[in-house]
Amino acid sequence: MAMWDRLKEQAKGLQQQAQGARGPAGQRQPGTGGPGASGGSGASGGSGGSKEKLVGLLKSQLGSLKTELKSGAYRDASMAMCALVAAADGSVDPAERHHVENLILQNDVLQNFPPEQLRQRFNKHVDQLTFNFQQGKADAMQEIAKAAKKPVEAKAVVQTGFVIAGADGYIAPAEAQVLREACMALGVSPQEFGL
């Protein structure tokens, strides 16, 4: 439960930071918005509702960055991240692959890219992970690391992974582990995301 509370605070701070950088005046309060910033918890309640609110908050935050997230590096790193989340437990059954693919295609920010590009990149990584998990994981991490050059994109890749992992209201330990590893590959502190 504490991880979700930290994620809520992180997402709220990042959202305020994004709004403050480009949003209307008054959206951001002085002294807030940095990593680890704390404020009131607007997404409290039961653990299920809290997780749903967190995923919604991350989606909203990503949506506010939609115009900035149009590079090929973000697209490719996000598809590698989604494949790693889907295969985190070492396998991907056809139903899970289809489910994650649908989540990708419905994601507002990822609609910046043609659906066929997303499908092709996601399925390429899933196929590699299915054939040889360790090699596929290494290839996916290399692709993810390419987004490290732009901090906004690097964090957005991790956030995209959280949105996909948390779509069912639960982040499995194996999913949290690949998210931690992605943070390291991107030069992003896992603590910023409560990992």
Side-chain angles (χ1 to χ4, degrees):
M1 304 296 171
M3 179 175 95
W4 284 107
D5 292 336
R6 288 192 306 269
L7 287 171
K8 284 189 298 192
E9 292 302 317
Q10 175 63 23
K12 183 177 179 181
L14 289 170
Q15 185 176 26
Q16 288 173 344
Q17 185 178 32
Q19 289 173 343
R22 153 200 42 285
Q27 288 284 327
R28 183 174 172 190
Q29 297 175 340
T32 64
S38 60
S41 175
S44 60
S47 66
S50 177
K51 292 173 189 171
E52 289 172 16
K53 288 179 183 178
L54 173 65
V55 170
L57 193 55
L58 288 171
K59 280 183 184 178
S60 173
Q61 179 193 354
L62 281 168
S64 72
L65 298 171
K66 183 175 181 175
T67 58
E68 295 179 43
L69 299 174
K70 293 184 177 183
S71 78
Y74 168 72
R75 175 200 60 210
D76 295 350
S78 293
M79 291 306 93
M81 181 80 259
C82 292
L84 274 175
V85 166
D89 63 0
S91 67
V92 183
D93 64 52
E96 183 177 19
R97 181 189 287 232
H98 182 71
H99 176 69
V100 173
E101 190 175 293
N102 282 338
L103 290 172
I104 289 166
L105 297 177
Q106 294 170 7
N107 183 290
D108 187 45
V109 175
L110 293 173
Q111 288 178 5
N112 281 336
F113 308 102
E116 200 47 47
Q117 286 181 7
L118 299 174
R119 269 193 202 97
Q120 182 219 359
R121 284 162 174 81
F122 170 71
N123 285 309
K124 177 190 88 165
H125 284 291
V126 171
D127 290 343
Q128 290 174 334
L129 287 158
T130 302
F131 179 71
N132 180 334
F133 183 77
Q134 290 306 318
Q135 183 59 49
K137 184 177 178 182
D139 292 346
M141 284 297 177
Q142 279 185 326
E143 195 70 55
I144 288 168
K146 291 178 185 177
K149 295 174 188 166
K150 295 183 181 176
V152 169
E153 289 183 4
K155 289 182 182 183
V157 169
V158 178
Q159 291 166 323
T160 300
F162 265 105
V163 168
I164 297 300
D168 60 359
Y170 172 74
I171 294 181
E175 292 169 338
Q177 179 60 34
V178 297
L179 289 166
R180 269 192 294 279
E181 291 174 30
C183 284
M184 301 310 264
L186 289 163
V188 174
S189 171
Q191 288 79 18
E192 287 189 42
F193 296 93
L195 296 169

